[in-house]
Amino acid sequence: MAPGEIHSPANELAIKQFDMAAAKLELDPNVAVRLRRPDRAMIVSVPTRMDDGRVHVFTGYRVQHNDVLGPFKGGIRYHPEVSLGEVSALAMWMTWKCSLVGLPLGGAKGGVACDPAELSRNELQSLTRRYTAEILNFIGPEVDVPAPDLGTNEQVMAWIMDTYSQHKGHAVPEVVTGKPVAIGGTLGRREATGRGVVYTVLEAAKHLGMDLTGCTAAVQGFGNVGSVVTKELAQLGVKVIAVSDRTGGYFDPQGLPVDKLLEVADRNHSLEGFPYGQKISNAELLEVKCDILVPAALEMQITEENAGRLQCRILAEGANGPTTLTADAILAQNNVFVIPDILANAGGVIVSYFEWVQDLQNFFWTEDEVHIKLRDMLTKSFHEVLHMSVKHKVDMRLAALMIGIDRVAKAMLWRGLYA
Ligand code: NAD
């Protein structure tokens, strides 16, 4: 790695993927050298008063990868493993994702290394407000617009919006997306990522000549993305035979009761103790024989070690970066059709974009309008990626990256930047 690059397995994966696409595109080297690194990477200290009176200093990050197409956009993650490298990788993927689906936005990501499940509501609020204060000069509706990600939700977004608004002296709903509807959020944002994953699965199934009715699915992660994917797949007649969360997984080859899964997750914020199906580990879930596998938790879950044992026909990446490069090669050999993360989970940022547009215009859409526009954009992007994949004889991931990177590179050249 060159000086200035940020070391971590996820970031090295993101950079290697970029290098492969850049080589295939024969990208101008002056552009390529710039795009391998973020525009700005921040580490902030987040002192937080805990309920027992102690002050604990958490570490927070915000990485802004590239804003050539428009303001930075990207989620905020609360998880114990959050690091500068992980956030940098996620920021780079956001740049390609926004560009791939045609949004006038750049890529960013942020996070705080903490375990939100261990924090009280007061602690979570104090941490969020202090983190926002620390990055306040670097975010804003025209600069950088955060959103929810792993471990954060509409309540966290509401606290960010409030902290920013207090500082400005007036309400600024357009500073974050994924807010509650009552303070300028959009209808359909909470379900957007999961719905988007399912829209791309529908297109993949059509392409492969599969009838989804009666197909089976396994879903890793049962949070915002995984729970919605499970619900939407079940509504299409897919039998969901395995699901998991951080506490482990559940498997029933006859199909799990999806309404009960949703009820338990809603009540307990976890699937722990779910009384149906056979208990399995997260690693076992990935290897269950099924038609559709949806990783919707963390990155780097499908590796050289387990890729050969996957038994699915479609791998729809709800999570960001769940598959390593060596795993990609094994999956291709085994004829697994991969819907890459920057396409499969782009529904979240698409509807975040809709929310930002509605806030800027103070004019709000119906839920049907949101769903229809989301489906149109994702379907169009799916077919662009498929076309690129066939035309250049590359896999779907490389095709998606090539489209995303090419648009950013062209914008840089038009603007006269770096070359
Ligand atoms: P979430 O916090 O709502 O849910 C995460 C789920 O993963 C929970 O069920 C949690 O228990 C589970 N989990 C955590 N660690 C796990 C582990 N080691 N093994 C298995 N499960 C584990 O998060 P989310 O918003 O659903 O995000 C999930 C993934 O989707 C992340 O990779 C995120 O970057 C990606 N994503 C989210 C959005 C969005 O709009 N929320 C958009 C695009 C991509």
Side-chain angles (χ1 to χ4, degrees):
M1 283 218 152
E5 283 172 9
I6 297 161
H7 293 254
S8 86
N11 203 37
E12 279 159 31
L13 171 63
I15 291 174
K16 277 192 198 140
Q17 289 175 346
F18 169 74
D19 286 345
M20 281 172 68
K24 193 81 191 162
L25 286 165
E26 299 179 16
L27 208 64
D28 182 324
N30 293 312
V31 171
V33 75
R34 184 69 191 82
L35 288 174
R36 293 176 105 241
R37 299 162 56 151
D39 284 1
R40 180 186 285 134
M42 286 170 268
I43 304 180
V44 295
S45 296
V46 187
T48 303
R49 175 84 58 190
M50 307 303 278
D51 291 348
D52 62 8
R54 266 177 324 121
V55 172
H56 186 85
V57 183
F58 293 92
T59 305
Y61 307 91
R62 185 77 182 163
V63 175
Q64 297 170 334
H65 176 257
N66 186 282
D67 67 346
V68 72
L69 291 173
F72 297 108
K73 185 91 193 75
I76 291 181
R77 175 173 288 200
Y78 288 175
H79 189 272
E81 309 289 314
V82 163
S83 67
L84 186 63
E86 181 185 63
V87 173
S88 300
L90 292 162
M92 183 187 272
W93 287 324
M94 278 304 290
T95 303
W96 315 143
K97 190 185 302 181
C98 292
S99 163
L100 169 65
V101 294
L103 304 181
L105 296 168
K109 205 80 179 193
V112 178
C114 67
D115 186 350
E118 297 291 311
L119 297 174
S120 70
R121 184 181 161 90
N122 270 340
E123 291 166 343
L124 202 58
Q125 177 166 186
S126 305
L127 176 152
T128 301
R129 289 189 182 277
R130 187 58 191 250
Y131 169 65
T132 309
E134 294 299 332
I135 61 167
L136 203 132
N137 288 328
F138 301 93
I139 60 171
E142 285 147 9
V143 184
D144 182 355
V145 184
D149 189 66
L150 196 87
T152 57
N153 55 22
E154 60 180 13
Q155 176 60 79
V156 172
M157 295 307 114
W159 290 328
I160 296 176
M161 179 265 188
D162 185 65
T163 308
Y164 187 87
S165 298
Q166 282 185 12
H167 182 82
K168 293 288 165 188
H170 56 90
V172 190
E174 61 274 25
V175 68
V176 285
T177 58
K179 303 175 291 291
V181 171
I183 53 168
T186 181
L187 296 168
R189 171 63 184 88
R190 209 191 72 75
E191 305 81 14
T193 309
R195 271 182 175 261
V197 171
V198 174
Y199 291 152
T200 63
V201 168
L202 273 164
E203 294 308 307
K206 267 191 240 163
H207 167 65
L208 298 170
M210 289 164 67
D211 179 4
L212 283 184
T213 320
C215 276
T216 53
V219 182
Q220 184 191 54
F222 206 76
N224 177 288
V225 181
S227 66
V228 175
V229 168
T230 302
K231 184 175 168 195
E232 298 281 325
L233 284 176
Q235 276 171 6
L236 290 173
V238 174
K239 211 166 28 161
V240 180
I241 58 169
V243 299
S244 68
D245 71 359
R246 59 194 279 163
T247 65
Y250 300 87
F251 170 63
D252 183 344
Q254 302 309 316
L256 290 162
V258 168
D259 48 342
K260 301 267 187 322
L261 283 166
L262 295 167
E263 207 180 286
V264 168
D266 198 39
R267 196 176 50 237
N268 304 342
H269 304 291
S270 134
L271 294 176
E272 195 159 21
F274 186 66
Y276 300 88
Q278 170 197 336
K279 193 102 177 73
I280 56 170
S281 69
N282 262 294
E284 287 166 336
L285 176 132
L286 297 172
E287 297 172 19
V288 159
K289 184 168 169 42
C290 60
D291 298 300
I292 305 152
L293 175 64
V294 185
L298 299 173
E299 51 271 8
M300 309 195 80
Q301 298 296 299
I302 301 161
T303 64
E304 187 178 14
E305 197 276 313
N306 63 358
R309 296 195 296 275
L310 262 56
Q311 302 186 66
C312 57
R313 179 73 184 95
I314 296 176
L315 174 65
E317 296 183 334
N320 285 304
T323 310
T324 65
L325 277 183
T326 32
D328 266 339
I330 298 169
L331 296 175
Q333 260 172 18
N334 292 348
N335 207 22
V336 174
F337 186 86
V338 177
I339 312 173
D341 49 3
I342 63 168
L343 173 64
N345 71 32
V349 73
I350 292 175
V351 176
S352 272
Y353 164 68
F354 295 166
E355 180 174 334
W356 180 65
V357 167
Q358 292 171 70
D359 287 338
L360 289 170
Q361 298 185 336
N362 268 309
F363 183 72
F364 291 88
W365 308 353
T366 64
E367 191 161 356
D368 276 354
E369 279 177 276
V370 171
H371 292 330
I372 291 165
K373 286 190 168 77
L374 169 64
R375 186 167 181 166
D376 286 352
M377 284 179 76
L378 270 177
T379 304
K380 176 170 173 277
S381 296
F382 178 92
H383 289 284
E384 282 175 358
V385 174
L386 188 61
H387 179 75
M388 185 71 143
S389 154
V390 173
K391 185 171 160 201
H392 290 272
K393 298 189 176 55
V394 295
D395 64 25
M396 288 287 281
R397 185 182 318 285
L398 196 51
L401 288 166
M402 284 166 70
I403 297 173
I405 292 168
D406 189 48
R407 288 181 182 155
V408 173
K410 287 209 170 89
M412 283 170 79
L413 292 169
W414 272 112
R415 288 182 54 173
L417 300 169
Y418 319 114

